[in-house]
Amino acid sequence: MGVQLSVFLENKPGKLEAITKILSQAGINIRGISMASEGEFGVLKVLVNKPGKAHEVLKREHFTVSERNVVVAIVDDRPGALHDLLLTLSSQKINIEDCYGIVLEEGGEAAIVLDIEAYPQAEKVLAQKGTRLLSDGELYSL
Amino acid sequence: MYWEKEVETMDRSALAGLQLGRLNESLTRARGSAFYGKRFAGGASSEGAQPAYAGTPAQPGGYAGTPAKPAGSSIELSGLEELTDLPFTTKDDLRNAFPYGFLTVDLQEVIRLHSSSGTTGNPTVVFHTPRDIDHWGNLIARCMYTTGVRKQDVFQNMMGYGLFTGGLGFHYGAEKLGVMTIPIGPGNSKRQIWFLKHLKATVIHILPSYALRLYSFFEEMQLDPKKDLHLRIAFIGAEPHSEEIRRKIEELYGIKVYNSYGLSEMCGPGVAFECECQVGLHVWEDHFYPEIIDPVSGEVLPEGERGELVLTTLTREAMPLIRYRTRDLTRFLPGECPCGRTHRRIDRITGRSDDMLIINGVNIFPIQIEKTLMAIPEIGRNYLIEINKENFMDRLSVKVEINEEVFHGTLAELEKLQIKAVAALRAELGVTPNVKLVEPSSLPVSEGKVRRVYDYRGGEQGGL
């Protein structure tokens, strides 16, 4: 299990750039990023190497930030690998709030970042299936 | 418990007698000004440019008797109810008479000028003699004492000093009471907090919007005003605000917050003030005679009905005002106050008669929007109202900040919040607004009076 930051944003030019600027000035490295928008506003999910510090610097700049627990699973970079992972979760009726993937290495592995309310249960069933899950340390140093 | 027990608890009939005597004296004095001299012409107004009032002693008892009216004057009233026969004085009258049209004394008797902020035309200027300043300070001392402020308190005055009456008005009052006063004025939030903390201020005077904004600096400095300060009382005023805002400030700072009411045309703060009961504001009727009128017809309304507050000064020397239309909307609260003061109470100001917004034919006051928003916990402390024309229809938009403490980081909760806010506003206003969620601190904030209403329907209007 790891932590990613969820940031409230107005849908306006320059908003994302303001966040990347703050993170870059604080020497924070972005591991993964995803954005969901309703039209006028949206929520940015960002996985970073130092979530605590990133939270602090964004809050200092008056952004509305929340920490979300995520499960990061490693799958092979091959057809059907993500399907197998999702099947494991859906067969247990575990709902995913949102997710995105990062290919770690061409033809090697991919990391799937899963925002799941019932993350302890998800971790359990995935571990039983032999899915490799990243620990905090591995996650932040992807 | 009382600063001036005899006056504050005077029985109503004695108070009416005091008021009538002072009212007649004010009318006589007013005729010494160019404006009222002309308005009340017809009687013998021979005193003209040589009014002899500057030397009247500042003893409260000095007014109770028959005023020294010029023989043949046509405006001696035999009862307070006759005041309603006299015409109103408006802010436009003050503007048109700029600068000296309302002055009743020679300029050399004047020691102070205050001016209210005006964005169009001439500013309104108000003059004070030494006795006016003395009365004003005494009224503020009475207000502060009423809420429990004593000599041993430390008072940090965070209102603007200068032409605005908020700063200097309280400053003189606090000094009269004997309280150590820190004349810091508004702004520079970190320094404010530093003083509050290190000088152990117990009492503050602050704009309600600034009290909310200041709190975010405590969060940033990782201080808790409840634990790290010695604060116990705040006075708020100068901006219309809802009961919810007052309670929010009380809760955030862990203090008692009292509403203050005044306007520079009367003197400034010190016209009406809450007592320890926090239910309505006592109008200091030994100095001001209040009426509530229908803002459209001008008729005096039955006791308890909401309308526009009209005030007549009873003791002002340099610039008495007769039936001045404040534009502030309120009502008299019925019944007696448990505090024992007999001076009538007005309800909190719910807006200004010229602030009313008409949205597709529906009357709306900005304070209704504030009250509704503050009752939704997911909404933050700042908001802004915009009105536009779209396809010949009025469109009301409300921009709100979200409360980061209850943000869980999902898009779904934000969509729900937006729907909830629209529904709550529609229920209160009878108009469906467009609610926009905005980032905290993205709305314009100022350390002076906050302007929350922007009306873009053909020429801007309606700031607070």
Side-chain angles (χ1 to χ4, degrees):
Chain A
M1 188 205 79
V3 166
Q4 79 174 350
L5 300 179
S6 193
V7 188
F8 169 71
L9 278 182
E10 284 174 64
N11 196 351
K12 278 186 188 165
K15 286 290 178 184
L16 264 178
E17 181 262 327
I19 292 192
T20 50
K21 184 178 175 188
I22 293 165
L23 294 179
S24 111
Q25 283 174 348
I28 290 162
N29 204 359
I30 297 173
R31 298 302 180 184
I33 192 162
S34 134
M35 173 93 202
S37 167
E38 175 272 350
E40 285 184 343
F41 58 84
V43 171
L44 172 77
K45 306 274 176 93
V46 58
L47 192 65
V48 295
N49 62 340
K50 297 173 201 159
K53 183 167 182 202
H55 190 160
E56 191 190 312
V57 293
L58 288 172
K59 197 174 154 89
R60 193 185 304 150
E61 296 297 325
H62 305 292
F63 280 97
T64 302
V65 187
S66 175
E67 292 187 9
R68 304 278 301 171
N69 291 314
V70 288
V71 176
V72 181
I74 297 297
V75 296
D76 291 335
D77 186 11
R78 62 162 174 86
L82 179 60
H83 176 71
D84 292 344
L85 174 80
L86 297 179
L87 189 64
T88 306
L89 295 171
S90 68
S91 65
Q92 297 294 317
K93 303 222 177 322
I94 294 171
N95 190 46
I96 300 170
E97 299 298 323
D98 63 34
C99 77
Y100 58 93
I102 312 160
V103 176
L104 298 178
E105 188 188 333
E106 198 67 40
E109 291 177 323
I112 309 297
V113 183
L114 298 152
D115 182 337
I116 295 174
E117 283 295 339
Y119 64 89
Q121 197 198 346
E123 279 183 327
K124 203 170 119 196
V125 301
L126 291 172
Q128 278 168 357
K129 267 279 177 182
T131 309
R132 188 158 82 85
L133 302 178
L134 292 189
S135 68
D136 281 21
E138 290 174 302
L139 175 62
Y140 303 139
S141 59
L142 267 180
Chain B
M1 126 174 230
Y2 305 111
W3 177 246
E4 292 160 296
K5 186 172 186 208
E6 215 173 291
V7 182
E8 292 172 49
T9 61
M10 184 179 271
D11 76 54
R12 290 296 310 179
S13 62
L15 188 57
L18 177 72
Q19 287 177 319
L20 182 61
R22 289 183 178 186
L23 176 60
N24 276 320
E25 192 174 326
S26 268
L27 287 169
T28 308
R29 194 182 296 133
R31 293 199 317 150
S33 71
F35 178 86
Y36 288 117
K38 196 170 163 198
R39 173 168 279 186
F40 299 139
S45 56
S46 55
E47 73 268 39
Q50 289 288 315
Y53 312 107
T56 314
Q59 297 307 316
Y63 302 103
T66 314
K69 64 168 179 101
S73 164
S74 61
I75 49 166
E76 162 97 45
L77 306 182
S78 54
L80 289 168
E81 65 288 348
E82 290 172 17
L83 182 62
T84 59
D85 298 335
L86 298 180
F88 296 115
T89 306
T90 65
K91 195 167 183 89
D92 280 341
D93 291 332
L94 295 186
R95 286 206 179 106
N96 296 337
F98 177 85
Y100 301 125
F102 278 84
L103 191 63
T104 64
V105 296
D106 194 275
L107 257 192
Q108 67 182 346
E109 309 298 335
V110 172
I111 58 165
R112 178 91 67 81
L113 172 150
H114 279 287
S115 176
S116 70
S117 48
T119 46
T120 51
N122 290 333
T124 331
V125 285
V126 179
F127 303 95
H128 298 263
T129 64
R131 204 186 71 174
D132 289 333
I133 293 292
D134 191 50
H135 278 316
W136 183 18
N138 187 57
L139 279 174
I140 295 289
R142 187 194 289 177
C143 296
M144 295 179 83
Y145 196 87
T146 291
T147 61
V149 179
R150 297 294 180 269
K151 281 174 81 75
Q152 54 272 27
D153 276 299
V154 174
F155 173 54
Q156 186 160 325
N157 191 4
M158 296 152 84
M159 283 285 188
Y161 279 72
L163 289 174
F164 175 56
T165 52
L168 283 167
F170 264 75
H171 186 94
Y172 277 60
E175 287 190 350
K176 191 155 259 205
L177 186 52
V179 174
M180 181 173 93
T181 302
I182 306 171
I184 193 164
N188 199 341
S189 300
K190 287 186 177 163
R191 188 178 64 173
Q192 295 282 2
I193 292 171
W194 194 91
F195 270 86
L196 285 169
K197 186 167 186 275
H198 294 281
L199 287 149
K200 300 186 171 59
T202 54
V203 180
I204 57 172
H205 180 211
I206 188 168
L207 288 170
S209 58
Y210 187 43
L212 294 175
R213 170 137 177 79
L214 187 66
Y215 186 77
S216 60
F217 284 89
F218 280 98
E219 288 175 313
E220 202 173 295
M221 293 164 78
Q222 296 180 328
L223 291 172
D224 179 356
K226 287 183 201 164
K227 295 194 192 109
D228 300 313
L229 302 184
H230 293 75
L231 211 55
R232 56 187 202 91
I233 291 173
F235 303 122
I236 57 173
E239 289 170 344
H241 60 277
S242 59
E243 179 64 14
E244 286 75 11
I245 288 281
R246 182 249 289 272
R247 294 300 172 197
K248 195 151 206 157
I249 299 170
E250 288 196 325
E251 185 192 311
L252 291 173
Y253 289 87
I255 55 175
K256 289 286 237 177
V257 174
Y258 296 95
N259 288 317
S260 157
Y261 174 75
L263 60 163
S264 64
E265 296 90 325
M266 292 297 115
C267 57
V271 175
F273 215 79
E274 275 187 332
C275 64
E276 66 270 27
C277 303
Q278 291 183 311
V279 180
L281 298 87
H282 292 277
V283 180
W284 300 125
E285 290 193 78
D286 51 330
H287 291 271
F288 306 100
Y289 182 77
E291 301 169 88
I292 303 283
I293 63 155
D294 179 329
V296 180
S297 71
E299 293 298 312
V300 173
L301 291 171
E303 190 90 7
E305 277 189 32
R306 193 171 287 281
E308 181 179 333
L309 179 67
V310 168
L311 292 168
T312 297
T313 65
L314 298 178
T315 54
R316 295 264 297 129
E317 256 184 354
M319 205 171 142
L321 292 177
I322 311 300
R323 301 197 85 201
Y324 183 70
R325 293 190 58 159
T326 65
R327 309 230 165 251
D328 291 318
L329 299 173
T330 183
R331 65 184 176 116
F332 286 121
L333 292 179
E336 285 167 18
C337 185
C339 77
R341 290 180 183 81
T342 51
H343 297 226
R344 279 179 293 175
R345 290 167 300 161
I346 52 169
D347 203 353
R348 66 171 47 254
I349 305 297
T350 50
R352 293 172 61 85
S353 56
D354 46 4
D355 277 348
M356 190 175 74
L357 302 165
I358 304 178
I359 310 285
N360 298 322
V362 181
N363 297 350
I364 290 171
F365 286 101
I367 204 93
Q368 290 177 279
I369 295 174
E370 175 176 301
K371 191 182 88 177
T372 307
L373 295 176
M374 292 305 137
I376 303 175
E378 296 91 343
I379 286 178
R381 298 187 286 265
N382 210 354
Y383 67 94
L384 197 142
I385 299 165
E386 288 180 346
I387 303 122
N388 292 286
K389 268 283 191 220
E390 269 176 28
N391 301 323
F392 306 103
M393 293 289 284
D394 298 326
R395 188 77 177 123
L396 173 67
S397 298
V398 183
K399 290 183 173 173
V400 298
E401 287 182 354
I402 61 174
N403 179 359
E404 50 194 333
E405 276 151 40
V406 293
F407 176 58
H408 296 105
T410 66
L411 190 61
E413 69 182 273
L414 297 175
E415 289 169 336
K416 271 188 212 156
L417 171 58
Q418 196 180 26
I419 292 165
K420 183 175 170 181
V422 170
L425 287 167
R426 182 171 48 219
E428 168 70 26
L429 309 173
V431 162
T432 306
N434 174 21
V435 172
K436 289 182 183 162
L437 303 183
V438 300
E439 291 160 25
S441 307
S442 67
L443 296 178
V445 282
S446 86
E447 285 168 348
K449 288 196 192 192
V450 175
R451 181 170 175 206
R452 296 201 190 272
V453 180
Y454 290 81
D455 193 337
Y456 297 112
R457 297 172 295 186
E460 284 195 32
Q461 36 170 292
L464 294 186

